[in-house]
Amino acid sequence: METDTITAISTPMGEGAIAIVRLSGPEAVAISANLFQGKNLNEVDSHTMHYGKIIDPETKEMAEEVMVSVMRAPKTFTREDIVEINCHGGLVSVNRLLEIVLASGARLAEPGEFTKRAFMNGRIDLSQAEAVMDLIRAKTDRAMNVALKQMDGRLSRLIQDLRQKLLETLAHVEVNIDYPEYDDVEEMSHDMMEQKTKEVHEEVTRILDTARQGKILREGLGTAIIGRPNVGKSSLMNALVHENKAIVTEVPGTTRDVIEEYVNVRGVPLRLIDTAGIRETEDIVERIGVERSRQVLKEADLILFVLNYGEELTDEDEQLLEAISDMNVITIVNKMDLEQKLDIDRVKQLAGDHPVVTTALIREEGIDQLENAISDTFFEGDLDAGDMTYVSNVRHVQLLKQAKESLEDAQNGMAMGVPLDVVQIDVTRTWEILGEIVGDTVNESLIDQLFSQFCLGK
Amino acid sequence: MTYDAGHYDVIVIGAGHAGVEAGLAAARRGAKTLMLSLNLDLVAFMPCNPSIGGPAKGIVVREVDALGGAMGKVIDKTHIQMRLLNTRKGPAVRALRAQADKPLYIKEMKRVLESQDNLTMKQGMVEKVIVEDDQVKGVITETKAAFYAPTVVVTTGTFMRGRVLIGDLSYESGPNNQRSTVSLSEQLEEMGIEMVRFKTGTPMRVNSKTVDYSKTEIQPGEEEPRSFSYETTEFITDQIPCWLTYTNEHTHKVIDDNLGLSAMYSGAVKGTGPRYCPSIEDKIVRFNDKPRHQVFLEPEGRDTEEVYVQGLSTSLPEYVQNEMMRTVPGLENAEIMRAGYAIEYDSVVPTQLWPTLETKQISGLFTAGQLNGTSGYEEAAGQGLMAGINAAAKALDLETLVLDRSQGYIGVMIDDLVTKGTSEPYRLLTSRAEFRLMLRHDNADLRLTEIGYQLGLIPEERYERFQEKKRQIEVEKKRLNKLVLKADEVQAVIEEAGGSPLKDALHAVDLLKRPEMKYEHIDRVSPSEENLSDDVKEQVEIQIKYAGYIKKALEQIDRMKKMDSKKIPDNIDYDAINGLATEARDRLKNVRPLSVGQASRVSGVNPADVSILLVYIEQGNVARVSGE
């Protein structure tokens, strides 16, 4: 029997009306009971389901309205205590729920780990061992692929830089220890170490707050719909909202305006830059000029640029397209039901690698293609692995949080006057955790760094 | 053609730092042991630097001592100076280092060997190992003596196909112009044991009378009496200093101008050298912006004028070495007595060993020391000790001993070697130990004495002293846990230590956890009823001060041990496990780890592979149960 409690989202990515976060392990019931407002889950009968609310222990606010199933060992899939929390479908809510459960003491399950536990605890019979191993392999490979794809190149570089900074610091401490007579380098002091950990801590905090993937998870993909007046921006917005009824955040008492900000397109959470914003962007080109509008659009993760098939391309359109060419843009040629005046070849030429989709929103034509294009842009056309996409992201967020805690342990140690070679334990741990994010945990690096950074003899 | 020269339980080939510990340990366990050495005048010879200990290494010496080994006791009697390093850092990284009197060390070690029961020493060159059906049977020397034993420990250091290089001069030789061995290396290869070529080097020795010490800085020993061994009671007080000087731009120019003549840079050297102990040529090439490098002048003993020039390891031609001397302050007129040289040698790829240091190919054949790709006297001693313990175990059907990574640097080193292998001569560094805080210099006895005693390596009297020390530590910790100190009782010592005044009464343990407080402060306010030794006081202080970190480390160790306790059946067929990644499969087939924990440390094996392995093994367990 394993001793820790694992959790994961066990339903495919948020297209369904509900999603399930599952916990398995000795603490499954206790962790859920702590978060749950309703019956005391510690006392309910096994194999029963209960309505209630999940309260985020950090903010003390209600996070989700849920149904919770409690199943006690041994008559469960894993032969351990299992709790399944059913919440509203959709990426944002289920991820938020998962994050709360993780922050409350459960560990994110490895790919295939529920099945592995079921097997290890004798729940699945011997003949299925092969299948279990295949499943672990397949899920791991897929998770790794998706994780790699999802990993923003910039974020990855940032983390590599932080690791390098930590590694140099670690090597500095090590050289003082292993080569005490080496006189070429100043003895690492508490002040120097404090400065380094502070820098890294600030950076990790910043990444946690603003990293694109983390932001997308929590807030959705910032999406701006732009175009000249009367090209069909409102129709597009309505089409997206109506087509995708799985609206994510259902906070009672909030207005429809707020709710409408989030739509879930093929599992991609879009945060449509506020409805008022759409009106403001009506005359964006004329009003503030191409350069300025580019600044505004910089905030967006995705731009839906709408053109009218029945109108000729203007210079402003051309300039704008060019100006946003290095961003995520989908060009939508709407009103295909009208007589052609737009030079569509020219549009495609200007769009370059970016997709161009043709629609007639008034006749509900082309919406599928548009949604495909959105999904492709976000997932680079490889999204069969459903749940894996955001699991790997939650994993990154989780690891960054651990890294931050570990740095704080180091800082507390220094404040307590603990010697640096002991503080080093927490700094090394931070370095390892960051390594898990970028998939690099080879321990030799420190020794390599030691010998490349310093010329060592005695 | 051979003659039967006798039957033994364990035969040790070589009497270097690995060999002597192997022979002594095997004999102490009760095995009838033969030690064969090329030259009995050079047992435990130090062919390189005249020092023992240092960070990590010094802790190994203490571990060897806690398991009954000789290195600590012998250096305690034969050093010319001793220092505790890293005293201003935390307890985990403190370590002793002694400058050795080389000839005296040999003499004392020989005395220890000769007075050891069950141990026979003979001079002789082993030509081959007798192997039948992949089982070792004994050895044959070049004088055709056949010695028989079920276990053989090979500790031939750098002698296997050893080749010395100085400039363009190159000749077959072990260190210090001793004969190298070729046939043994060839035979190991024939038996399917993979060997690699490594390289190391040593600097010149100069005549002390020709050194102008007034141009150098003195490096004295410590007044405080120190010892490696827990059995040492007499301390050497008249210590001899070392001296420090530096290279400069002129030295660097000489080296730079002649770089092509260095055996290392002319392409003559094929072996991989250690990065942690670079030659002076390497230092100039790789760090050419450094204006100077340290040069330590270390006497090789009390009764010799030879001085070891630490920092100038080189394979440049002798005349260039002379030119170099002319440029270094204090060495301008120095006369080289022995030139520096590089040495290349065959070493065994250590992933071919079980953690007991027995080879996987040949039952009963053990290898230890520099032959296994390490470097350093202490690394060799640690392995020799373990190989001796386990060879005796195999021969006499006793309990084997494998230390894990939480028990000692010896455990870290051997696990690294047999699990990961090494791409350069392996040296222990404190950063190789993930549980560094647990592997301290001060607690080596607490970690290992019990084990040493169980194996019959520790005398009764010492064990009793150890038990008493342990008891005192526990009693004192308990006392401080309960002891409540009133504010006015301790205000004075707190003030003296520079801490902020106390408002309320406080448990002694909590007071001791304050960074500025030491055990002696509490000792003064509320002393123990017992007369506690400094060792005990130190333990109490460390264990209380670092309790939080120790607890965290213990949790990690628990997790590691859990994985290490999941054994992999020895007949496992990795090809039959479908889900394993190809790289992981290849590595696992090669290393053949004994536990899932060890498997997880093999490079190229990722967590998914470990999961798959667990499932596969579980399947096997179920199969066995249902098959019964």
Side-chain angles (χ1 to χ4, degrees):
Chain A
M1 202 66 92
E2 298 288 333
T3 52
D4 56 355
T5 299
I6 55 171
T7 185
I9 299 168
S10 57
T11 40
M13 171 123 87
E15 286 167 70
I18 59 163
I20 298 175
V21 170
R22 179 154 63 171
L23 295 88
S24 177
E27 298 294 314
V29 178
I31 290 171
S32 315
N34 270 341
L35 302 171
F36 187 72
Q37 196 179 72
K39 276 189 187 165
N40 182 352
L41 297 181
N42 289 312
E43 288 166 11
V44 299
D45 290 339
S46 186
H47 293 77
T48 54
M49 201 171 191
H50 307 274
Y51 168 80
K53 290 162 183 169
I54 293 292
I55 308 295
D56 184 341
E58 234 174 79
T59 60
K60 311 281 177 221
E61 282 170 15
M62 191 195 88
E64 286 299 322
E65 205 177 8
V66 294
M67 294 289 289
V68 176
S69 310
V70 175
M71 291 158 278
R72 291 204 170 78
K75 283 187 182 171
T76 68
F77 175 57
T78 56
R79 289 204 171 162
E80 300 173 339
D81 285 352
I82 285 187
V83 173
E84 288 179 356
I85 307 176
N86 297 246
C87 69
H88 296 286
L91 198 54
V92 175
S93 56
V94 74
N95 263 318
R96 193 163 153 209
L97 182 56
L98 179 62
E99 280 195 38
I100 291 171
V101 172
L102 285 169
S104 307
R107 168 173 71 74
L108 192 62
E110 300 292 330
E113 195 171 359
F114 285 96
T115 316
K116 179 183 139 195
R117 287 193 174 192
F119 179 81
M120 297 300 276
N121 295 330
R123 172 68 172 72
I124 296 180
D125 83 53
L126 189 57
S127 63
Q128 284 168 284
E130 280 293 301
V132 175
M133 289 187 270
D134 287 347
L135 177 88
I136 294 171
R137 177 87 270 151
K139 283 206 170 191
T140 302
D141 292 348
R142 216 159 54 190
M144 270 167 59
N145 279 338
V146 177
L148 276 177
K149 283 218 175 86
Q150 286 290 285
M151 183 81 168
D152 184 290
R154 204 173 48 87
L155 177 64
S156 166
R157 268 197 307 282
L158 263 176
I159 288 176
Q160 294 286 15
D161 288 350
L162 289 181
R163 291 192 84 219
Q164 186 58 28
K165 189 178 276 186
L166 288 175
L167 196 61
E168 282 165 18
T169 310
L170 290 168
H172 192 153
V173 178
E174 292 305 326
V175 78
N176 293 156
I177 294 167
D178 277 329
Y179 293 88
E181 278 117 345
Y182 183 69
D183 66 345
D184 231 34
V185 60
E186 200 184 337
E187 176 102 20
M188 172 72 88
S189 65
H190 270 77
D191 284 350
M192 288 158 74
M193 184 70 135
E194 258 164 37
Q195 185 55 37
K196 291 283 180 199
T197 49
K198 189 165 159 263
E199 282 168 27
V200 177
H201 185 268
E202 277 168 7
E203 194 65 7
V204 169
T205 309
R206 202 186 61 75
I207 294 174
L208 264 174
D209 290 345
T210 63
R212 181 167 171 268
Q213 298 298 344
K215 190 175 104 187
I216 289 165
L217 275 173
R218 278 186 295 277
E219 299 170 16
L221 199 64
T223 307
I225 302 177
I226 60 166
R228 280 183 288 118
N230 209 23
V231 291
K233 295 192 294 294
S234 298
S235 313
L236 174 59
M237 169 112 182
N238 287 337
L240 288 174
V241 171
H242 288 145
E243 276 290 303
N244 300 282
K245 298 231 166 55
I247 289 168
V248 181
T249 338
E250 267 192 347
V251 183
T254 53
T255 66
R256 191 171 157 72
D257 282 356
V258 177
I259 297 168
E260 279 181 357
E261 279 194 14
Y262 294 94
V263 295
N264 193 333
V265 175
R266 307 269 160 101
V268 183
L270 298 190
R271 178 171 49 90
L272 297 175
I273 288 178
D274 70 60
T275 41
I278 290 210
R279 280 191 298 278
E280 275 174 31
T281 58
E282 286 282 338
D283 303 319
I284 187 162
V285 182
E286 292 89 336
R287 219 159 33 89
I288 56 178
V290 172
E291 266 317 298
R292 184 79 175 84
S293 51
R294 193 170 183 275
Q295 282 303 112
V296 173
L297 294 173
K298 241 183 159 175
E299 301 294 311
D301 301 303
L302 174 66
I303 295 166
L304 302 179
F305 181 46
V306 191
L307 292 166
N308 185 341
Y309 189 64
E311 287 178 5
E312 282 182 32
L313 206 60
T314 65
D315 286 350
E316 287 86 350
D317 286 335
E318 291 208 19
Q319 283 171 26
L320 189 60
L321 252 177
E322 207 166 313
I324 58 180
S325 63
D326 58 344
M327 303 164 90
N328 280 324
V329 186
I330 298 173
T331 306
I332 297 147
V333 179
N334 190 28
K335 306 203 179 181
M336 290 298 288
D337 48 319
L338 300 185
E339 190 185 328
Q340 176 173 12
K341 288 203 177 142
L342 190 79
D343 180 353
I344 203 154
D345 289 336
R346 176 72 185 139
V347 170
K348 282 183 179 159
Q349 189 193 338
L350 285 169
D353 292 339
H354 299 300
V356 177
V357 180
T358 54
T359 59
L361 291 169
I362 204 140
R363 295 188 192 164
E364 299 185 0
E365 282 171 20
I367 295 169
D368 260 5
Q369 288 90 319
L370 173 60
E371 294 195 346
N372 282 339
I374 291 172
S375 161
D376 285 352
T377 302
F378 188 56
F379 295 112
E380 296 183 336
D382 189 11
L383 182 71
D384 60 337
D387 55 335
M388 288 310 163
T389 329
Y390 52 95
V391 167
S392 54
N393 282 318
V394 169
R395 185 179 189 83
H396 294 163
V397 171
Q398 202 59 27
L399 286 166
L400 281 165
K401 282 183 179 163
Q402 285 175 21
K404 197 173 152 186
E405 280 168 20
S406 181
L407 280 166
E408 283 158 9
D409 286 348
Q411 288 171 327
N412 291 338
M414 281 184 276
M416 285 292 296
V418 172
L420 286 186
D421 52 270
V422 179
V423 170
Q424 171 111 345
I425 295 170
D426 289 315
V427 180
T428 306
R429 181 76 196 115
T430 310
W431 178 77
E432 287 168 355
I433 295 167
L434 292 178
E436 282 179 47
I437 298 178
V438 289
D440 175 15
T441 48
V442 184
N443 212 7
E444 276 293 291
S445 327
L446 175 57
I447 287 160
D448 290 341
Q449 181 66 32
L450 191 63
F451 296 124
S452 63
Q453 194 173 337
F454 304 105
C455 176
L456 299 169
K458 193 167 185 173
Chain B
M1 292 298 278
T2 61
Y3 76 96
D4 183 340
H7 292 247
Y8 295 87
D9 296 317
V10 176
I11 296 171
V12 179
I13 309 177
H17 302 280
V20 297
E21 298 294 353
L24 288 168
R28 287 205 181 102
R29 290 202 83 181
K32 190 181 168 202
T33 305
L34 171 68
M35 182 182 289
L36 287 164
S37 167
L38 271 180
N39 186 340
L40 288 179
D41 293 332
L42 290 176
V43 295
F45 175 62
M46 299 183 196
C48 200
N49 57 325
S51 80
I52 281 180
K57 289 160 166 279
I59 301 176
V60 170
V61 180
R62 285 213 150 178
E63 291 173 1
V64 167
D65 182 69
L67 292 170
M71 183 173 253
K73 291 180 207 68
V74 173
I75 189 65
D76 282 348
K77 284 188 178 172
T78 61
H79 59 270
I80 61 166
Q81 68 159 255
M82 197 181 292
R83 294 170 65 190
L84 183 62
L85 304 172
N86 289 335
T87 45
R88 284 178 298 124
K89 303 191 179 84
V93 297
R94 279 170 214 156
L96 281 171
R97 191 177 60 213
Q99 293 301 131
D101 185 320
K102 281 187 181 181
L104 212 54
Y105 189 87
I106 292 173
K107 204 173 151 197
E108 175 61 18
M109 186 63 86
K110 196 171 178 207
R111 194 191 61 75
V112 170
L113 291 166
E114 284 171 348
S115 52
Q116 176 64 48
D117 292 342
N118 295 333
L119 181 64
T120 306
M121 289 164 71
K122 284 181 189 291
Q123 188 158 300
M125 163 75 100
V126 172
E127 219 167 50
K128 65 176 289 202
V129 179
I130 309 168
V131 176
E132 285 168 25
D133 300 330
D134 291 340
Q135 159 68 51
V136 99
K137 299 284 183 192
V139 302
I140 296 170
T141 68
E142 62 183 355
T143 54
K144 303 303 168 206
F147 297 99
Y148 297 94
T151 61
V152 170
V153 184
V154 188
T155 67
T156 49
T158 59
F159 283 77
M160 291 246 190
R161 262 196 285 240
R163 175 166 285 274
V164 164
L165 302 107
I166 309 173
D168 59 0
L169 172 67
S170 151
Y171 57 95
E172 275 194 13
S173 171
N176 205 32
N177 289 342
Q178 299 183 76
R179 291 162 66 202
S180 65
T181 166
V182 175
S183 59
L184 209 50
S185 186
E186 283 173 352
Q187 191 198 359
L188 288 182
E189 254 175 351
E190 277 164 25
M191 293 189 298
I193 291 176
E194 193 190 340
M195 315 282 279
V196 287
R197 202 89 177 130
F198 278 167
K199 173 235 126 183
T200 183
T202 194
M204 64 293 289
R205 275 67 152 174
V206 296
N207 189 327
S208 183
K209 288 182 197 154
T210 61
V211 177
D212 181 357
Y213 290 111
S214 69
K215 294 183 180 166
T216 67
E217 296 164 28
I218 191 164
Q219 303 258 299
E222 255 183 290
E223 302 249 331
E224 177 90 23
R226 308 263 187 207
S227 67
F228 280 102
S229 174
Y230 292 91
E231 287 179 45
T232 296
T233 49
E234 283 172 37
F235 302 91
I236 294 172
T237 48
D238 61 325
Q239 307 212 354
I240 295 178
C242 296
W243 307 86
L244 172 62
T245 181
Y246 296 91
T247 61
N248 52 46
E249 60 199 283
H250 303 296
T251 326
H252 300 180
K253 186 168 185 318
V254 170
I255 295 163
D256 214 32
D257 287 350
N258 293 287
L259 206 56
L261 302 174
S262 159
M264 238 111 53
Y265 283 86
S266 66
V269 170
K270 301 276 186 282
T272 311
R275 286 172 298 174
Y276 48 79
C277 190
S279 63
I280 188 68
E281 295 95 297
D282 270 343
K283 292 183 196 175
I284 306 298
V285 171
R286 289 182 48 223
F287 295 89
N288 66 359
D289 54 333
K290 268 197 78 167
R292 63 175 199 178
H293 296 276
Q294 291 168 316
V295 176
F296 293 91
L297 303 175
E298 304 177 347
E300 296 226 321
R302 288 170 196 274
D303 293 326
T304 170
E305 296 297 341
E306 283 193 78
V307 173
Y308 181 87
V309 188
Q310 168 85 264
L312 290 187
S313 171
T314 182
S315 62
L316 282 161
E318 199 172 275
Y319 75 90
V320 182
Q321 296 188 24
N322 275 314
E323 266 181 63
M324 265 160 69
M325 294 294 98
R326 305 290 85 90
T327 65
V328 180
L331 298 178
E332 294 93 339
N333 299 308
E335 209 164 87
I336 293 180
M337 294 176 73
R338 304 179 201 215
Y341 60 87
I343 183 165
E344 272 193 314
Y345 52 97
D346 285 354
S347 71
V348 168
V349 172
T351 49
Q352 301 169 100
L353 306 173
W354 299 118
T356 55
L357 297 180
E358 185 178 7
T359 59
K360 290 168 188 169
Q361 284 94 331
I362 310 294
S363 174
L365 184 68
F366 293 73
T367 61
Q370 198 153 9
L371 173 62
N372 284 347
T374 60
S375 97
Y377 313 138
E378 306 81 357
E379 285 87 344
Q383 290 172 67
L385 176 83
M386 299 306 288
I389 287 171
N390 289 318
K394 177 127 190 163
L396 305 178
D397 202 16
L398 302 170
E399 201 187 338
T400 57
L401 176 64
V402 172
L403 297 177
D404 71 37
R405 302 182 70 89
S406 70
Q407 288 176 297
Y409 275 96
I410 295 177
V412 171
M413 167 176 65
I414 294 178
D415 185 62
D416 277 350
L417 290 171
V418 304
T419 308
K420 296 181 182 134
T422 181
S423 56
E424 67 180 326
Y426 177 100
R427 173 185 175 161
L428 265 175
L429 297 162
T430 59
S431 55
R432 296 199 195 266
E434 51 278 72
F435 309 118
R436 179 156 82 188
L437 186 59
M438 309 308 288
L439 306 184
R440 303 189 307 270
H441 143 95
D442 61 78
N443 72 353
D445 60 335
L446 294 171
R447 287 184 272 129
L448 299 172
T449 308
E450 184 69 46
I451 296 172
Y453 178 71
Q454 297 300 334
L455 297 180
L457 300 167
I458 294 293
E460 197 70 40
E461 178 274 330
R462 173 171 171 182
Y463 183 62
E464 277 165 21
R465 264 195 299 125
F466 164 75
Q467 293 280 61
E468 175 60 11
K469 176 178 172 184
K470 245 172 65 174
R471 185 195 64 78
Q472 286 181 342
I473 294 168
E474 289 314 311
V475 169
E476 183 60 0
K477 270 166 59 191
K478 258 189 209 137
R479 185 181 78 92
L480 297 190
N481 254 312
K482 285 193 193 136
L483 178 66
V484 178
L485 297 166
K486 293 198 196 78
D488 55 354
E489 268 182 295
V490 287
Q491 224 65 285
V493 286
I494 292 177
E495 197 180 325
E496 185 198 309
S500 50
L502 218 55
K503 287 198 193 83
D504 305 305
L506 193 65
H507 274 100
V509 277
D510 294 324
L511 185 63
L512 190 50
K513 279 179 187 164
R514 287 184 163 202
E516 70 280 0
M517 298 307 288
K518 293 199 172 341
Y519 177 86
E520 57 161 10
H521 295 122
I522 288 162
D523 200 16
R524 265 156 49 196
V525 177
S526 168
S528 161
E529 283 171 18
E530 292 189 71
N531 184 19
L532 301 179
S533 70
D534 288 349
D535 272 3
V536 170
K537 292 175 182 175
E538 183 187 24
Q539 276 315 306
V540 170
E541 180 175 314
I542 292 172
Q543 290 185 20
I544 289 174
K545 262 190 167 333
Y546 299 99
Y549 286 93
I550 290 172
K551 186 166 166 273
K552 213 151 81 172
L554 286 174
E555 285 165 10
Q556 286 179 322
I557 290 171
D558 264 0
R559 251 171 285 156
M560 179 196 75
K561 282 195 195 266
K562 211 175 129 198
M563 291 297 270
D564 279 356
S565 70
K566 294 194 164 107
K567 298 296 172 207
I568 298 177
D570 50 6
N571 58 352
I572 193 162
D573 177 5
Y574 289 107
D575 286 325
I577 311 175
N578 277 332
L580 287 178
T582 312
E583 190 196 355
R585 187 196 315 276
D586 290 347
R587 297 292 300 147
L588 288 169
K589 275 162 78 174
N590 188 283
V591 174
R592 289 158 70 192
L594 295 174
S595 68
V596 176
Q598 196 193 348
S600 71
R601 293 189 290 273
V602 173
S603 47
V605 174
N606 65 37
D609 299 310
V610 174
S611 280
I612 289 166
L613 191 58
L614 271 171
V615 169
Y616 183 82
I617 293 167
E618 182 61 19
Q619 174 192 21
N621 290 341
V622 176
R624 265 200 295 285
V625 171
S626 53
E628 273 168 14

